[in-house]
Amino acid sequence: MVLHEITREEQIALDKALYDALNPLASAIRSRETGLSVERMWDAEPVDVALSVLAAWKVVDAEVRRLAAEAAATAGSYGASYEQMGAVWGITRQGARKKWPDAVSRPGARAGTLELFGGTARLVQEPSGGWGWAGEGADGVSGAAVDGVLHGSAEEAAAHAGAFLKEHAVEGA
């Protein structure tokens, strides 16, 4: 697995940026919990201040997880595999699939060609996200998704295309 290390200078800059972002959040949390003004956060008991900082880190952690899931979904939409995402994150392919279950489309949900009953049909995903099909049965009859109706998944479009191909199979072939 590839580990992406950062330099000492990058680590220092990252720490500073995170603390700069965290302090207003920790102050706001502490202010809400005590009724003290944000400016007086540091006047509280040290344990309470430390717990406010910890609560703020929890919020940041949840945001980082959400943003990481968005980045994984974006990578998946551009064709990245779970194996590639896992390598970047330092986990296995299976770990990446578990962490971001919807980031990569299932293999069955791809455009392609069906060859059944002596005919062929092509599955196509439209820009709108819906799925259509067009094909030619073994008897030479052409067909497509009825009136341009799009299906919700590749599997649904394949089922309709398969039914068409079966209907237009050549007897005895």
Side-chain angles (χ1 to χ4, degrees):
M1 287 183 222
V2 177
L3 294 178
H4 300 277
E5 296 183 20
I6 61 176
T7 67
R8 174 87 174 121
E9 293 78 23
E10 291 168 333
Q11 182 68 55
I12 291 168
L14 177 61
D15 287 353
K16 181 182 180 330
L18 289 172
Y19 281 115
D20 287 349
L22 184 79
N23 281 334
L25 180 61
S27 295
I29 289 171
R30 184 77 199 126
S31 177
R32 279 194 302 275
E33 289 176 357
T34 64
L36 293 173
S37 69
V38 172
E39 296 78 27
R40 293 195 54 219
M41 173 192 167
W42 301 108
D43 294 341
E45 291 294 320
V47 69
D48 293 331
V49 171
L51 289 172
S52 298
V53 171
L54 181 60
W57 280 121
K58 182 178 186 323
V59 170
V60 170
D61 180 59
E63 256 324 272
V64 167
R65 289 174 190 262
R66 183 186 67 78
L67 293 171
E70 283 184 18
T74 300
S77 75
Y78 285 116
S81 68
Y82 280 119
E83 184 175 355
Q84 291 171 309
M85 286 186 247
V88 167
W89 203 255
I91 58 178
T92 64
R93 173 184 55 80
Q94 295 89 344
R97 183 185 308 270
K98 185 176 179 182
K99 187 170 201 57
W100 305 297
D102 299 323
V104 175
S105 298
R106 294 186 320 238
R110 292 191 181 137
T113 302
L114 280 178
E115 296 182 10
L116 297 170
F117 308 107
T120 61
R122 179 102 178 121
L123 302 178
V124 179
Q125 187 172 27
E126 300 296 328
S128 66
W131 288 84
W133 63 272
E136 184 176 322
D139 62 0
V141 174
S142 294
V146 179
D147 296 325
V149 172
L150 297 179
H151 304 287
S153 68
E155 292 81 4
E156 185 181 350
H160 286 272
F164 169 82
L165 295 174
K166 182 177 181 182
E167 184 178 323
H168 293 281
V170 174
E171 294 285 329

